[in-house]
Amino acid sequence: MAMTSPNNKALERYKSAVTVATSVVGAAMLLRRLIADILPGTALGGLLLLPPASARRHVVLIEEFDGALYNRVFLAARAYVSTLLAAAPSVPLMKASLPRGAGAEHVLLAMRPGTAVVDAFGGADLTWRLSRKHDGSRRRAAAEDARAVFKLSFEARHKDMVLGSYLPAVMARAEAMSQEQRQTKLYSNEWGKWRTVRLRNASTLATVAMDGALREAVVDDLDMFLTRKEYYRQTGRAWKRGYLIHGPPGTGKSSLVAAISNHLHFDVYDLDIGGVRSNTELRKLLIRMKNRSILLVEDVDCALTTAPRRDVNGEGPDGSSPASKNHKVTLSGLLNMVDGLWSSSGQERILIFTTNHKDRLDPALLRPGRMDMHVYMGYCGFVAFRELAANYHGVHDHPLFAEIENLLREVEVAPAEVAEKLLATDDADAAVEMAVKLLRDRKAGTGEDAGYIKQKLHVGPRRPRRQPAPAPRRGVVGSARRVVLDEEVGGSSRRGQGRGSGTARRGRGGVRGRGRR
């Protein structure tokens, strides 16, 4: 008779125990299902020793982005949580940062991913926890590329209070903090993202050197724009306004932009078209702009030279197919962002283009509906000069003013040139005399500043571009190259001849045998 080993007996006992446990679990699940159809939820929870539904916790996920736009609730939550961190008795890990240009009193505290802080509101404890959410389609290793997510957890019985009172209170508190700490910011695009610094420019519409009537027209237009939200809604138009500021260099175009920003308390988004790699990236940048902001494109005539328009066949104006077809912004792409469907993604926005050469702009850019107001910043007049003298030295009258007024009627001088002379000394009389000397020299055509405008505008004789050499015929390589180099003008002609002779010797000696020793 075969004897049963101890190992076999243990295995049999283990199988029996697993079978019994499985039967008990199955019976319990069946019993729970039967009781759930008969008893209410509270009685069911007490019978099965489960916490009541009112004691269970709910979670609200607040993601950093709502589609392609920043989530306003997330931004408000981030600002609100920073106040909780400052008052929290014990938070194991937090991050401190100081925005660029901000004072030490504006240090911001932020949670690190995985940490939590508890808030009390209306007799309820609410837990804020920060985590990172990676893209499921292509998980990235870099933590900064993941999107931040706030998780707000609370007991289920406080759901109505959280949604109806707590979250609106968080939004109101964040808005109040924003108004208390309001600082105009300057954004610039870098690798498809906006980078920000504090805008430290004290220019105002009252201090910018410009014609009085023009200043009044700009102020009235801006103030009317702010109060016409309902008008834009009724007419079905995007709540935005476009300004084209044009004029010679040094006439205060950039200062006027800063003055408009300070007048409206709008942030400025300085868009570098050359730094945008595609129309898609441009669209993402524009729709990520905040409301109540200014989109600035400086020297738009130069920026668009790198972004030519293309016809329906994708060809450039000369019939070529540029290599940057899929990697650069086109004028059509920019115009579609200005007044196309995507321009309605935000509201209460100002669009400003600046240029030194209005005549060089594409007519499509000047079409009605895109640039609502054209502002010409011209050369310095006597009214503008008096404003500069009053702002810089407190001079409202001077014996030389009569001569200055006459000279300004005869010469063209930029306000920046006058300001440079007025700021050269703290002596008011000496500063006015330096300004008069500038005007006298400009009238006489002498002085080192006489060519200022021409240099800025790139006016004057230019060295012609070197033309590519025609394909040389066999046996005349050296002479063909010498002819092209001899056509150069200026101080480089002699060097060109030297290079030509050397090239000719190389042509005779070894062009056909290039690469051979």
Side-chain angles (χ1 to χ4, degrees):
M1 181 176 179
M3 298 183 62
T4 304
S5 65
N7 293 336
N8 292 336
K9 291 181 179 180
L11 181 61
E12 291 295 334
R13 288 196 298 270
Y14 176 76
K15 291 182 178 179
S16 300
V18 171
T19 303
V20 172
T22 303
S23 301
V24 171
V25 172
M29 294 179 64
L30 179 61
L31 180 63
R32 184 177 184 278
R33 179 64 181 174
L34 294 175
I35 295 177
D37 296 337
I38 301 174
L39 299 178
T42 55
L44 174 63
L47 180 63
L48 299 182
L49 303 179
L50 296 176
S54 59
R56 300 171 193 168
R57 298 189 70 81
H58 285 186
V59 177
V60 176
L61 297 180
I62 306 175
E63 298 184 353
E64 184 177 6
F65 291 97
D66 182 10
L69 303 175
Y70 282 106
N71 188 349
R72 293 179 57 197
V73 181
F74 178 89
L75 298 177
R78 183 172 60 184
Y80 180 77
V81 167
S82 67
T83 63
L84 299 180
L85 294 174
S90 61
V91 177
L93 185 63
M94 67 180 70
K95 180 175 64 174
S97 62
L98 183 65
R100 294 181 182 178
E105 68 278 6
H106 294 115
V107 173
L108 299 180
L109 298 178
M111 301 172 62
R112 298 292 296 177
T115 58
V117 63
V118 179
D119 187 21
F121 184 86
D125 291 335
L126 305 102
T127 302
W128 290 93
R129 184 179 298 276
L130 181 66
S131 62
R132 292 285 184 178
K133 179 181 178 182
H134 292 269
D135 189 353
S137 60
R138 47 176 184 175
R139 187 179 182 86
R140 300 177 179 177
E144 60 271 14
D145 291 335
R147 296 188 175 188
V149 178
F150 275 117
K151 295 181 179 179
L152 175 62
S153 59
F154 49 88
E155 294 183 0
R157 58 179 175 174
H158 299 307
K159 176 182 177 181
D160 293 338
M161 181 270 294
V162 170
L163 299 180
S165 301
Y166 181 68
L167 286 180
V170 169
M171 298 289 292
R173 173 58 179 158
E175 179 65 22
M177 293 171 56
S178 176
Q179 294 299 327
E180 293 172 2
Q181 305 174 0
R182 178 65 178 169
Q183 295 179 348
T184 306
K185 297 179 180 179
L186 175 63
Y187 293 82
S188 60
N189 57 299
E190 180 180 347
W191 297 106
K193 297 181 179 180
W194 290 113
R195 308 296 183 184
T196 178
V197 295
R198 182 179 176 183
L199 180 59
R200 295 179 178 270
N201 192 310
S203 296
T204 65
L205 290 172
T207 60
V208 174
M210 59 188 303
D211 180 74
L214 179 61
R215 177 190 292 108
E216 183 178 355
V218 172
V219 172
D220 292 344
D221 192 79
L222 292 171
D223 292 341
M224 183 173 61
F225 168 76
L226 291 178
T227 60
R228 303 188 77 184
K229 178 179 180 179
E230 190 64 22
Y231 169 80
Y232 281 94
R233 188 190 66 81
Q234 292 178 354
T235 57
R237 300 179 58 190
W239 192 9
K240 62 182 181 64
R241 191 76 172 163
Y243 295 87
L244 175 66
I245 305 178
H246 60 100
T251 53
K253 296 184 291 295
S254 298
S255 297
L256 179 58
V257 175
I260 292 175
S261 172
N262 292 329
H263 180 75
L264 300 176
H265 300 289
F266 281 14
D267 293 335
V268 178
Y269 288 78
D270 186 6
L271 179 64
D272 178 14
I273 298 294
V276 183
R277 292 166 290 187
S278 65
N279 289 335
T280 301
E281 183 176 296
L282 175 64
R283 181 169 64 249
K284 290 180 179 179
L285 285 170
L286 295 188
I287 63 179
R288 286 182 177 179
M289 288 175 53
K290 298 179 181 179
N291 294 332
R292 297 180 61 84
S293 60
I294 297 173
L295 176 63
L296 171 64
V297 182
E298 291 194 284
D299 297 323
V300 65
D301 55 310
C302 299
L304 293 178
T305 57
T306 60
R309 301 185 72 191
R310 300 191 180 97
D311 56 22
V312 294
N313 298 321
E315 297 181 345
D318 57 352
S320 61
S321 296
S324 60
K325 177 178 179 181
N326 298 322
H327 304 282
K328 288 296 182 181
V329 178
T330 62
L331 176 59
S332 299
L334 177 62
L335 296 180
N336 288 335
M337 295 301 101
V338 170
D339 63 353
L341 293 177
W342 285 99
S343 65
S344 302
S345 60
Q347 58 181 358
E348 205 169 1
R349 290 180 178 175
I350 300 290
L351 173 64
I352 298 179
F353 286 171
T354 70
T355 179
N356 297 333
H357 309 281
K358 180 181 177 181
D359 57 322
R360 297 182 185 178
L361 297 181
D362 193 296
L365 193 62
L366 304 177
R367 183 179 64 80
R370 285 178 175 150
M371 296 293 104
D372 301 290
M373 186 175 186
H374 294 200
V375 180
Y376 175 70
M377 301 294 289
Y379 293 109
C380 185
F382 182 65
V383 175
F385 180 88
R386 294 191 61 171
E387 291 180 355
L388 291 174
N391 292 333
Y392 293 159
H393 294 285
V395 177
H396 299 278
D397 194 13
H398 195 276
L400 294 176
F401 274 7
E403 181 182 359
I404 292 175
E405 183 176 6
N406 293 330
L407 288 172
L408 287 175
R409 293 195 185 102
E410 301 177 14
V411 301
E412 294 180 343
V413 59
E417 298 178 87
V418 176
E420 181 180 1
K421 298 302 181 183
L422 293 177
L423 291 174
T425 178
D426 293 334
D427 188 329
D429 292 332
V432 174
E433 291 176 359
M434 293 177 66
V436 173
K437 184 179 183 303
L438 169 67
L439 298 177
R440 292 169 181 167
D441 293 344
R442 184 62 53 83
K443 180 180 179 180
T446 61
E448 58 183 14
D449 295 324
Y452 175 84
I453 295 298
K454 290 187 177 181
Q455 293 174 7
K456 288 291 185 178
L457 291 175
H458 305 289
V459 176
R462 289 186 180 182
R463 176 182 173 180
R465 293 183 178 180
R466 180 175 176 176
Q467 299 296 328
R473 292 178 298 174
R474 188 172 181 178
V476 293
V477 176
S479 60
R481 293 186 178 180
R482 184 182 295 110
V483 169
V484 174
L485 293 171
D486 287 345
E487 289 179 354
E488 294 184 359
V489 297
S492 63
S493 60
R494 184 168 301 174
R495 294 193 300 270
Q497 292 173 1
R499 290 194 301 268
S501 59
T503 306
R505 287 194 296 270
R506 290 194 299 271
R508 291 192 298 267
V511 172
R512 294 182 58 190
R514 179 176 296 175
R516 298 180 182 178
R517 299 291 182 186

